[in-house]
Amino acid sequence: MSTKPTASAAVPEGPILRLDQLDKSYGRLHVLRDVSLEVQKGEVVCIIGPSGAGKSTLLRCINHLETVDSGTIYFEGKPVYRYPKNGVMVTDPDRVVEETRSHIGMVFQSFNLFPHLTALGNVIEAPVHVRGMPAEEAKRLGMAELRRVGIAEKAGAYPYQLSGGQQQRVAIARALAMDPKVMLFDEATSALDPELVGEVLRVMRLLASDGMTMVVVTHEMGFARDVADRVVFMADGAVVEEGPPQQIFSAPRADRTRQFLQTILDRNSQLDVGQPVGAK
């Protein structure tokens, strides 16, 4: 069951994010196949699926780190980046692209922190240099975001002095400092040691309970089941099915979804708590 307040479920306006028939290939490798998806304001959408399903590529296209070959991305009801207009394909100028991207925060598998900057320095870099925020105001904002993710005491530490979980929380604070309207999480816990996963998931749960619009690519099935408003299962570059967590995890309609979830269940059942992996 979702931990989010029910008030966020009823939103009168249209989707904040809409993907319409996105296709993407790298040479002969067809990565996205006719992907269409809508995300409402305040909604948490978790995308699950096997490796190579196109999940990360989809997020990178949403944030224009990759360009789609065909199809249109709509943000707040308007087509963005590259789209047909009056029968002609048009491309947004760089300044418009950057403005759109500034409203879409992204947290990656790798933390991508600047090694020469402190935690606070990493968080305030974009507000100062992209938004032109005065340094003192940015520092106040940066400290507020570090407190939000529970790591304010590490403001003066450099990335090499932080654990993986702490670095990822700094990365989340950095994205939040731009006051995004949508947050994208690309396997945010996959590079972490198991004992550090929980501290990052706690921050993500907090953001969800605060009503942040989130699109989360994850292999953490418990998080998807408990926090998502909707779960999307992708395989072979396509959306196979989507629905509420209870339906996807308890009564999936597609054979491919059932096979994937059974594989996860079988794998997890082999790992007994307190027993070494492979022990009899």
Side-chain angles (χ1 to χ4, degrees), residues 136-273:
E136 288 305 312
E137 181 182 350
K139 288 179 181 177
R140 288 192 294 271
L141 170 66
M143 287 303 301
E145 296 299 352
L146 287 172
R147 282 193 294 272
R148 187 177 182 184
V149 301
I151 200 171
E153 74 281 1
K154 297 293 186 179
Y158 289 88
Y160 76 91
Q161 298 172 310
L162 302 173
S163 70
Q166 291 169 336
Q167 290 185 59
Q168 191 63 293
R169 284 189 282 164
V170 172
I172 294 172
R174 178 179 59 185
L176 291 173
M178 290 295 283
D179 193 23
K181 297 178 180 180
V182 176
M183 282 282 284
L184 309 177
F185 292 86
D186 184 14
E187 296 279 17
T189 61
S190 65
L192 300 178
D193 292 334
E195 65 269 22
L196 301 178
V197 169
E199 64 188 64
V200 174
L201 291 182
R202 280 193 293 273
V203 171
M204 294 171 66
R205 288 173 185 269
L206 175 64
L207 295 178
S209 68
D210 286 344
M212 173 66 74
T213 306
M214 298 164 60
V215 182
V216 183
V217 168
T218 185
H219 63 276
E220 299 289 343
M221 297 299 128
F223 177 87
R225 183 179 57 247
D226 296 342
V227 179
D229 295 295
R230 191 154 39 96
V231 175
V232 176
F233 174 69
M234 289 185 65
D236 302 318
V239 172
V240 177
E241 70 173 300
E242 60 179 285
Q246 184 176 6
Q247 181 254 304
I248 294 295
F249 289 108
S250 300
R253 299 187 180 95
D255 289 340
R256 186 68 182 86
T257 312
R258 282 193 292 272
Q259 292 167 5
F260 172 77
L261 293 174
Q262 187 61 51
T263 300
I264 298 294
L265 181 63
D266 290 346
R267 185 185 67 194
N268 289 344
S269 68
Q270 296 172 11
L271 302 178
D272 294 327
V273 176

Side-chain angles (χ1 to χ4, degrees), residues 71-94:
T72 306
I73 298 171
Y74 295 83
F75 180 65
E76 295 188 311
K78 299 178 181 179
V80 294
Y81 307 139
R82 183 176 179 270
Y83 47 90
K85 184 177 182 180
N86 299 325
V88 178
M89 192 62 68
V90 299
T91 301
D92 281 340
D94 290 346

